[in-house]
Structures are given as C-alpha cells and as structure tokens.
Amino acid sequence: NLNIKIDGPVSSTRYGLIMNDGRANGVNFEASSTGGLGTFALSAIGTAECVYCTFKVDGSGAAGVTVSPPVAIRNSSFENVGSAADSTSGVRMSGTGTTTIQNSTFKGLRTGVEFDSGQVDVRDSLFDLGSVANAHGFMVANYNNSMSTLVGSMDGVTIAGSGTWRTLGSYSLE
C-alpha cells in the first residue's frame, strides 16, 4: 500500500497527489490544513478511478479529494480525524461530466460530497455526520453564480447524524 500525507501551514491550494486518467488502488491519503485554505489529499482529473482508498482529513479547508469528472470512487472511506468544528470535506467536484461514488463511507465531515457543476451519482454509501454542527451529507451548491447544470442522485444511501443545525440529505443554494 502507498501512503500519502500532506500537512502543515498553508498559504495556497496544495495537493498530495494529482492523478490524470489513472487508477489509485488501496492508497491511504492524509490531508491536514492549518490555514483554512484548500488542502486536498488527491486531485483526480479525467477518467480517474479511486478504489479501496482511505482519506483522513484534519483542519478547516482540508478535503479528501477534488475531482474534475469523469471520476469513479468505489469502496473508499473518508473521515475527519480532527475537531468536529473543522470545516472538512470528503469529495469536492467542479466540472462537466459525471462522478460516481459507490460503496463508500463518510464519517464526521462537515460536508460529505459537495459540487457546483456536473453530475454526481452516489450509490450504496453511508454518510455518518456524527455530532458535527452544520453538517451536510450531500450538498449541491452554486457559489459562483454560473449557469452550469447541476444533477445529483442518490440510491441506497444512508445519511445520519446528531449535530445541531445539520442537514440530512441534499439541498441546493442558488
């Protein structure tokens, strides 16, 4: 197994691994952010696939993977290993095309899956928001006021949590 870790103070967006049209199988990723900016364990671009991967994130702004589809994530896990107050994400997506997430788990993250364009299909997966306040399992959010089409679907998905002001399920901002 390959272990990739990226941590420390951050002054700009950083990536542990950038994968273009490749496959990560059984890779363990860790991303820590202390500056509140984007720190991503993996950047998956094109026809990339992540299978049996583990993503551990810590610190506001840290995320498991940022994707530019088409990307497939299967049998993988995403977990916030830091404070419940951290603004962490499992998967962030932007771009046309479809990202498929299947048989994966998301635990203790502020946002499990977040995207602002394209399509995300989540199947047979678990979002355990735990006691994280203001948490979202699946978020469709257009922050940049673009005219991009957003399509999200879930099938066989469980979203649970006990935090205050949590959102169980999906929602959108326009």
Side-chain angles (χ1 to χ4, degrees):
N1 282 357
L2 177 63
N3 297 304
I4 297 174
K5 182 175 183 176
I6 182 167
D7 63 1
V10 62
S11 59
S12 63
T13 302
R14 300 176 309 151
Y15 303 98
L17 174 67
I18 297 175
M19 181 173 61
N20 192 351
D21 296 330
R23 183 171 199 232
N25 190 344
V27 179
N28 299 309
F29 294 94
E30 289 185 46
S32 295
S33 174
T34 58
L37 298 172
T39 300
F40 303 96
L42 172 66
S43 175
I45 303 165
T47 55
E49 183 177 29
C50 209
V51 182
Y52 297 107
C53 292
T54 301
F55 296 88
K56 294 183 178 182
V57 296
D58 178 13
S60 291
V65 60
T66 179
V67 299
S68 181
V71 173
I73 299 169
R74 294 184 179 84
N75 304 306
S76 295
S77 64
F78 299 82
E79 181 178 5
N80 176 11
V81 295
S83 166
D86 290 342
S87 180
T88 55
S89 300
V91 177
R92 290 186 188 162
M93 182 190 125
S94 184
T96 59
T98 301
T99 292
T100 302
I101 301 168
Q102 188 172 9
N103 296 323
S104 295
T105 58
F106 299 81
K107 185 175 180 184
L109 300 160
R110 175 72 55 87
T111 306
V113 174
E114 174 181 6
F115 68 106
D116 69 357
S117 62
Q119 179 172 337
V120 176
D121 296 328
V122 182
R123 296 191 296 266
D124 305 316
S125 295
L126 170 66
F127 294 84
D128 179 357
L129 305 177
S131 60
V132 178
N134 302 310
H136 313 286
F138 187 76
M139 187 163 63
V140 180
N142 186 353
Y143 294 119
N144 59 9
N145 295 320
S146 75
M147 299 303 288
S148 298
T149 300
L150 304 162
V151 178
S153 69
M154 294 186 284
D155 184 20
V157 172
T158 300
I159 301 176
S162 62
T164 58
W165 296 101
R166 67 195 178 281
T167 300
L168 300 180
S170 61
Y171 81 100
S172 63
L173 299 174
E174 297 182 31

